[in-house]
Amino acid sequence: FLLKNLRVKIDRKGRNAKELTVRRGELIEIENSSRNWWRARNFLGDSGHVPHNILEEIEIEHRPLVCTL
């Protein structure tokens, strides 16, 4: 199946406690996209807001893991 993910296009340092610091190429998941600043979570579990215009949607195909012994 396909999952939609967002990738960060440029580095951006959070300027206050509500903003999430992100790095170019980082994959993040969006918790709320109802405004210009989207609430996001990185894979370390940190959450905060990032401007939507520095994000791009990508698709990653997930396949089941096959164990061969």
Side-chain angles (χ1 to χ4, degrees), residues 11 14 18 28 31 39 45 54 61 67:
D11 291 350
K18 292 183 179 182
I28 60 174
E31 297 174 343
R39 181 147 179 88
I54 68 164
E61 183 176 351
C67 182

Side-chain angles (χ1 to χ4, degrees), residues 33-51:
S33 62
S34 63
R35 299 178 185 233
N36 288 337
W37 283 72
W38 291 0
R39 181 147 179 88
R41 181 179 10 194
N42 64 20
F43 286 97
L44 297 174
D46 300 325
S47 293
H49 290 87
V50 294

Side-chain angles (χ1 to χ4, degrees), residues 2-69:
L2 294 176
L3 291 178
K4 291 184 180 180
N5 294 279
L6 294 177
R7 180 177 26 223
V8 179
K9 294 191 284 188
I10 61 170
D11 291 350
R12 186 174 192 291
K13 183 170 173 60
R15 296 184 180 144
N16 59 50
K18 292 183 179 182
E19 295 181 14
L20 181 64
T21 297
V22 292
R23 308 222 12 116
R24 181 176 181 233
E26 182 178 6
L27 298 178
I28 60 174
E29 56 186 30
I30 300 302
E31 297 174 343
N32 184 329
S33 62
S34 63
R35 299 178 185 233
N36 288 337
W37 283 72
W38 291 0
R39 181 147 179 88
R41 181 179 10 194
N42 64 20
F43 286 97
L44 297 174
D46 300 325
S47 293
H49 290 87
V50 294
H52 72 89
N53 59 349
I54 68 164
L55 305 174
E56 62 184 347
E57 191 173 297
I58 61 169
E59 291 185 355
I60 298 175
E61 183 176 351
H62 291 269
R63 296 182 183 176
L65 295 176
V66 177
C67 182
T68 58
L69 296 177

